[in-house]
Amino acid sequence: MKELLLKKIGEKSIKVGVVGLGYVGLPLAVEKAKAGFVTVGFDIQKEKVDMVNRGHNYIGDVVDSDLDDLVKKGMLSATTDFGFVGEMDFIAICVPTPLDAHQQPDISYVKTSAESISKYLKKNTMVVLESTTYPGTTQELVKPILEEGSKLKCGEDFYLGFSPERVDPGNLIYKTKNTPKVVGGVGKDATLVIAAMYRAVLEGDVYEVSSPAVAEMEKILENTYRNVNIGLVNEMAVLCNRMGINLWEVVDAARTKPYGFQAFYPGPGLGGHCIPLDPYYLSWKAREYGFHTSMIESSMMINDRMPEYCVERAGKILNRFKKALNGSKILILGVAYKQDIDDYRESPAIRVIEILEREGAKVSYYDPWIAEYKSCGKTMRGLKEIDPEIIRGYDLIMVTAAHSNVDYGMVQENARFIFDTKNVMKGILKRENIEVL
């Protein structure tokens, strides 16, 4: 099997399947097809499948013309029919791994995908899980499902591995193509062959580890590292506010040290598909071993509370003008979870809005990247534009995303007061009506 698959990789006769056509799956499918491998995307959402087959892009990190060209050339297509899995030689699982209502890992999408694949899995196939999850998922969950459903044996009839996605939406330097990849297979041969497949597609280094569990833990470590450090600066922000010290200035000073310090910045909370979620997967799994990740859980509590803290700060600002949150008009600038993208998954700005509304505030939002969003079964529509007259109509402007295509100078000139949680107005000299987190 090893020699056969290595030969097919070299000949580029491997047929690739990508399960899940979201922020991870579609860019991966595009890169596989661009590298010369006929690729089929699988998704249960017919709307996404139809858009791909029309060559219509819906992911910011994919070049529109690339997708359209690949579809027209027959190198990339999409389907809702998992029966075509039987034609694939390489299958990547790129489905969501959210948290449930009780902050417990929801691996139902991984489980369902593995079950669907198992029905049609053939011999001499590589299966790789890319979805971020707790250490042990590949071998404890996916492997038994694939073996039972297909009646094939892992390592003898098919190869299985884990290779964590590394997608940073909006990153202008690192994309799927040039970001280093980590691969851990069930057995040395699986690791070797799966790594060879990624090397045939990507420009970034492919780093091999000894097992899927190592690769799974590596991904959790990446994002927990960021979660903990962001928790540290968020706690410092609360303390510095009480002490009358500008933390942003403190961090800028600290980063002048050429060793031993990496700059992290505070904000209204954590958003995105990884950093707010991954530590919960690790702390959940750790309890199986009678271990409590105390430092990690502390940072999670700090970061989770930041939206409430920002609302408290907003209330104190309004109090200076003899206004209560209840009835005040507040404009939120930015609901994306990071700057210059249209992604609002787990965005702390949405939680800020929900808390403000619960306190009786009259809240509107403007985001040049997101015209509307859905949360808790409701659709929220933003302002189409902002101008001096609109800005003057609000009691408080709260900046919760650092989008670069907003005229912050105009905002400052016309706002009664601004609570800048992202320090986007750092360069504005007139600061009488600006307060930072």
Side-chain angles (χ1 to χ4, degrees):
M1 181 166 59
K2 179 177 72 173
E3 298 305 325
L4 171 65
L5 288 172
L6 289 174
K7 181 174 182 292
K8 293 183 75 172
I9 291 170
E11 297 170 345
K12 294 196 174 179
S13 60
I14 293 284
K15 196 164 185 180
V16 172
V18 177
V19 179
L21 295 173
Y23 287 89
V24 176
L26 186 59
L28 179 65
V30 167
E31 292 303 332
K32 296 285 188 185
K34 284 172 66 176
F37 296 95
V38 174
T39 302
V40 178
F42 296 85
D43 204 289
I44 59 174
Q45 297 184 42
K46 189 175 184 301
E47 181 182 3
K48 285 184 178 179
V49 167
D50 290 343
M51 289 182 71
V52 170
N53 288 331
R54 291 196 304 267
H56 292 177
N57 178 37
Y58 50 87
I59 298 293
D61 285 353
V62 172
V63 178
D64 296 358
S65 57
D66 285 350
L67 177 63
D68 185 53
D69 184 55
L70 291 168
V71 171
K72 287 178 178 176
K73 289 180 177 178
M75 294 300 295
L76 178 61
S77 61
T79 181
T80 58
D81 184 358
F82 278 77
F84 288 100
V85 163
E87 300 177 9
M88 303 298 116
D89 305 295
F90 177 96
I91 303 164
I93 302 173
C94 306
V95 295
T97 48
L99 299 173
D100 64 19
H102 305 288
Q103 303 286 45
Q104 300 292 317
D106 177 4
I107 53 172
S108 59
Y109 296 101
V110 172
K111 184 173 182 290
T112 301
S113 297
E115 289 170 346
S116 298
I117 292 167
S118 72
K119 297 175 185 177
Y120 307 101
L121 186 65
K122 64 176 177 60
K123 285 187 175 183
N124 303 322
T125 301
M126 295 169 275
V127 181
V128 182
L129 177 62
E130 289 214 3
S131 305
T132 303
T133 183
Y134 59 84
T137 303
T138 303
Q139 289 180 269
E140 296 169 11
L141 176 74
V142 177
K143 179 174 172 284
I145 291 175
L146 294 179
E147 289 186 327
E148 182 178 349
S150 67
K151 307 306 178 188
L152 301 176
K153 189 167 179 57
C154 180
E156 295 180 10
D157 301 314
F158 69 92
Y159 287 138
L160 176 64
F162 182 82
S163 182
E165 56 87 3
R166 281 174 167 171
V167 174
D168 186 17
N171 193 314
L172 300 179
I173 299 174
Y174 290 106
K175 306 288 186 182
T176 299
K177 179 76 172 177
N178 64 341
T179 300
K181 207 84 167 77
V182 173
V183 172
V186 181
K188 291 183 179 179
D189 287 350
T191 302
L192 186 151
V193 175
I194 292 169
M197 183 63 195
Y198 281 111
R199 288 191 180 101
V201 174
L202 307 177
E203 293 176 351
D205 293 338
V206 177
Y207 186 84
E208 299 175 24
V209 296
S210 60
S211 70
V214 171
E216 289 160 341
M217 183 63 90
E218 177 279 323
K219 174 61 175 177
I220 295 287
L221 175 61
E222 288 179 27
N223 290 318
T224 300
Y225 168 81
R226 294 172 68 185
N227 189 302
V228 169
N229 281 281
I230 293 170
L232 171 63
V233 294
N234 276 333
E235 188 167 57
M236 289 286 288
V238 176
L239 174 60
C240 283
N241 175 250
R242 293 189 181 185
M243 298 177 70
I245 298 171
N246 185 321
L247 177 65
W248 301 88
E249 187 178 357
V250 172
V251 175
D252 284 345
R255 68 184 297 191
T256 62
K257 185 180 180 181
Y259 53 88
F261 181 83
Q262 181 179 354
F264 288 85
Y265 296 94
L270 290 178
H273 62 296
C274 283
I275 300 176
L277 308 182
D278 293 2
Y280 283 98
Y281 275 77
L282 183 58
S283 62
W284 176 82
K285 187 65 176 178
R287 289 195 290 274
E288 182 181 318
Y289 296 87
F291 188 87
H292 287 274
T293 52
S294 54
M295 179 184 293
I296 296 170
E297 289 171 20
S298 294
S299 71
M300 289 154 56
M301 288 189 290
I302 293 166
N303 293 327
D304 285 349
R305 195 185 175 279
M306 288 308 291
E308 285 84 357
Y309 174 72
C310 288
V311 172
E312 290 173 9
R313 288 280 300 276
K316 289 180 179 179
I317 291 170
L318 288 166
N319 281 344
R320 297 178 208 159
F321 299 93
K322 295 181 169 51
K323 285 184 172 289
L325 273 174
N326 193 336
S328 290
K329 292 185 66 179
I330 299 176
L331 177 63
I332 300 294
L333 290 186
V335 293
Y337 81 82
K338 64 181 289 190
Q339 73 177 72
D340 298 340
I341 65 170
D342 61 359
D343 191 348
Y344 60 86
R345 288 176 294 171
E346 309 295 330
S347 173
I350 293 175
R351 282 188 59 200
V352 168
I353 290 173
E354 291 170 352
I355 299 166
L356 286 170
E357 289 183 332
R358 195 164 63 236
E359 294 294 326
K362 298 175 182 177
V363 186
S364 305
Y365 87 86
Y366 171 70
D367 191 310
W369 291 83
I370 300 173
E372 65 178 41
Y373 69 84
K374 295 180 180 179
S375 178
C376 300
K378 295 193 307 181
T379 297
M380 294 283 289
R381 292 180 175 82
L383 301 178
K384 293 182 179 180
E385 60 182 16
I386 53 174
D387 57 31
E389 183 178 356
I390 289 173
I391 295 298
R392 287 193 291 268
Y394 288 91
D395 299 305
L396 179 66
I397 310 295
M398 186 184 296
V399 181
T400 48
H403 292 319
S404 60
N405 55 346
V406 174
D407 187 348
Y408 295 108
M410 181 276 290
V411 173
Q412 184 277 325
E413 290 174 1
N414 294 280
R416 295 182 185 181
F417 207 88
I418 301 160
F419 180 29
D420 183 1
T421 72
K422 302 297 290 185
N423 202 31
V424 294
M425 298 190 175
K426 176 182 177 180
I428 294 177
L429 298 179
K430 294 182 180 180
R431 308 195 61 80
E432 295 81 7
N433 63 340
I434 300 174
E435 183 171 312
V436 296
L437 180 64

